[in-house]
Amino acid sequence: MPSRRSMLGRLAVAAGIGVAGCTTGAPPGLPLDSNPHSVPSRQFAQRDVLRRDADGNPLQARHRRVLLLDLKREPSREAAETVERALRTVEAAYDWAPDGLFHALAWGSTYFDDNGALGRVPIEHPEVLTRTDDEELQRFDAMLVLESDVPSHLPAAESALFGSREEVNGEPVDHTLADVFRRRDRRTGFLGEGLPAEHVDVEGLEADAPMFSGFFSGREGSQASEDRVAIDDGPLAGGTTAHLSHITFDLPQWFSLDEASRVEKMFSPGFSTEDVADLGTDVPFADAVREHAREHGSVGHHEKVARVRRDGEPIVLRRDFNTVDDGRTGVHFLSYQRELAHFRRTRKSMNGWYLRDDHPDITDRENNGILEFITTQSRANFVVPPREKRAFPLTIT
């Protein structure tokens, strides 16, 4: 039987579509200034409108929904217009704000591979990045990320985009993504003070904890800036790449440790509970991972990851969130980075393989940050185009 790639290729040729081209703006007849609400060109841009905590750290949207999609139509101008009009419906319905709706349409490694463009984008198909986990390497055509502080906005937007309602927040629904995509999977979750304890009952998890770990992880200085992760030139300038992992987290085992031990494993053997309480907008680390390994026979998660910086700044922008999907506590780790190689470098530093010779107690999982408590279930890679090229990037001229 002919492969999916060859079938889509013949259909594209028949429709007069060349993979060498790229969109130069909105599809014909859809001016970019037609939205009633202001929306940024960068689909991942949020920081200017996020709420801030007392220290000035940005607070991400509290509720998340990620839809993993496969194409059921070949690339065409008509399909691109359908995608664009459907997304503009939700843009008209909700402000680009935490109490409205953030959304981003990303395109997966399968889409680019099937259209002969995988070598032109800074991603590849996912690969195994640990030696201890049985990782499922997933490939999708696309991913739609929905985020809001208002939980009801997420199912409302999904049902509008996939054809089960006639209006959304007062806006008529005339075009849907269901005409172009089929939903293969859905990831859901939450992030923010009090939400983890609302979903699980685990002794040791405080009522106001923002993450299952019990710690706040979104400090300004421990995140890459949106400028840092933006692709800076070429046909996808202003876009970025995305990695999505599903990671399960053994909370009973984690909270069997006392607080001081959890601090050491999450941050560093040089950190105390008082140090964590005094953190503001950054998590300052001396580059002392090897020294800690030799002296303590144990290292912290954050101190390993902090080694991967450029000009003193992280190279990955995390938008991860808690989940209880499939009845298991965990994290959907969504990250943005200029090129996927930056995520791989960060994950390899987190693996800590380079520390095993420094002390016999450090293994691939034990005494190696939080690795003995988490397991990576799956991985997938995507490109997030700039908004004006979000409908079939690199295939429609």
Side-chain angles (χ1 to χ4, degrees):
M1 293 181 67
S3 69
R4 179 175 179 273
R5 175 176 178 173
S6 65
M7 291 178 66
L8 284 175
R10 289 198 297 271
L11 288 167
V13 171
I17 298 163
V19 298
C22 66
T23 54
T24 56
L30 298 176
L32 289 173
D33 60 0
S34 64
N35 280 321
H37 297 137
S38 176
V39 290
S41 175
R42 292 176 178 175
Q43 294 193 75
F44 57 93
Q46 300 179 3
R47 279 190 171 164
D48 288 346
V49 296
L50 290 178
R51 297 174 294 111
R52 301 270 169 167
D53 67 12
D55 292 317
N57 295 303
L59 299 175
Q60 298 176 33
R62 288 169 63 84
H63 302 280
R64 313 294 180 86
R65 183 169 295 205
V66 177
L67 306 178
L68 287 312
L69 310 173
D70 288 333
L71 282 168
K72 60 183 186 182
R73 292 175 60 178
E74 69 275 11
S76 69
R77 292 183 181 179
E78 179 186 4
E81 285 199 23
T82 297
V83 169
E84 185 65 22
R85 290 185 185 277
L87 292 173
R88 291 193 186 192
T89 297
V90 296
E91 286 172 355
Y94 300 105
D95 287 328
W96 189 260
D99 59 355
L101 184 73
F102 296 128
H103 55 281
L105 180 64
W107 294 81
S109 58
T110 294
Y111 164 78
F112 290 106
D113 199 9
D114 284 349
N115 289 283
L118 190 57
R120 300 176 57 209
V121 294
I123 68 165
E124 54 279 324
H125 293 307
E127 62 184 60
V128 173
L129 295 178
T130 75
R131 290 196 288 230
T132 58
D133 303 342
D134 184 16
E135 304 173 355
E136 181 183 358
L137 304 180
Q138 298 180 324
R139 303 180 184 185
F140 301 95
D141 281 317
M143 169 179 71
L144 180 67
V145 181
L146 304 173
E147 307 174 54
S148 180
D149 279 349
V150 183
S152 61
H153 286 356
L154 304 185
E158 180 180 354
S159 61
L161 288 167
F162 284 89
S164 60
R165 59 191 302 157
E166 296 181 353
E167 64 85 27
V168 57
N169 207 28
E171 289 292 324
V173 176
D174 297 320
H175 301 84
T176 74
L177 295 182
D179 293 330
V180 178
F181 297 106
R182 64 174 56 88
R183 289 167 288 183
R184 199 202 316 175
D185 199 2
R186 180 191 291 107
R187 313 282 169 86
T188 65
F190 45 88
L191 173 73
E193 186 174 303
L195 290 177
E198 290 182 12
H199 288 80
V200 298
D201 182 13
V202 177
E203 184 177 356
L205 178 64
E206 296 184 359
D208 61 350
M211 295 285 289
F212 279 145
S213 67
F215 300 110
F216 177 65
S217 67
R219 290 181 173 82
E220 182 84 15
S222 64
Q223 289 270 51
S225 67
E226 291 171 348
D227 286 342
R228 172 69 68 182
V229 303
I231 297 171
D232 54 9
D233 56 25
L236 297 175
T240 190
T241 74
H243 178 81
L244 179 68
S245 305
H246 180 198
I247 301 171
T248 51
F249 194 166
D250 188 341
L251 292 191
Q253 183 185 8
W254 174 247
F255 284 107
S256 70
L257 304 176
D258 60 31
E259 185 178 6
S261 297
R262 295 197 304 272
V263 166
E264 290 182 4
K265 289 185 177 294
M266 180 59 72
F267 295 95
S268 156
F271 270 53
S272 68
T273 56
E274 291 77 15
D275 293 330
V276 175
D278 291 338
L279 293 175
T281 58
D282 202 359
V283 183
F285 285 110
D287 188 5
V289 179
R290 306 298 293 261
E291 290 84 349
H292 288 158
R294 289 190 286 267
E295 180 179 351
H296 299 279
S298 178
V299 296
H301 167 72
H302 276 294
E303 67 175 334
K304 290 183 295 177
V305 174
R307 301 177 79 232
V308 186
R309 294 195 171 207
R310 181 170 294 177
D311 302 325
E313 182 182 340
I315 56 178
V316 169
L317 174 58
R318 291 175 287 104
R319 294 273 171 80
D320 49 311
F321 53 95
N322 311 282
T323 186
V324 289
D325 284 350
D326 304 322
R328 298 182 293 178
T329 55
V331 172
H332 290 307
F333 190 91
L334 175 63
S335 68
Y336 296 131
Q337 49 280 312
R338 182 171 296 170
E339 55 189 85
L340 197 66
H342 292 170
F343 172 80
R344 289 197 302 270
R345 284 179 55 200
T346 303
R347 175 65 212 214
K348 288 178 180 178
S349 187
M350 174 181 161
N351 285 340
W353 296 340
Y354 51 93
L355 300 168
R356 292 173 306 162
D357 292 337
D358 290 321
H359 199 285
D361 289 347
I362 297 178
T363 71
D364 284 355
R365 291 181 67 87
E366 296 175 345
N367 301 309
N368 197 342
I370 61 173
L371 293 179
E372 63 187 289
F373 308 96
I374 66 173
T375 304
T376 303
Q377 304 295 330
S378 64
R379 299 189 181 281
N381 298 331
F382 303 87
V383 169
V384 187
R387 186 172 307 278
E388 58 271 21
K389 299 179 181 180
R390 65 185 169 184
F392 292 96
L394 300 186
T395 60
I396 308 299
T397 57

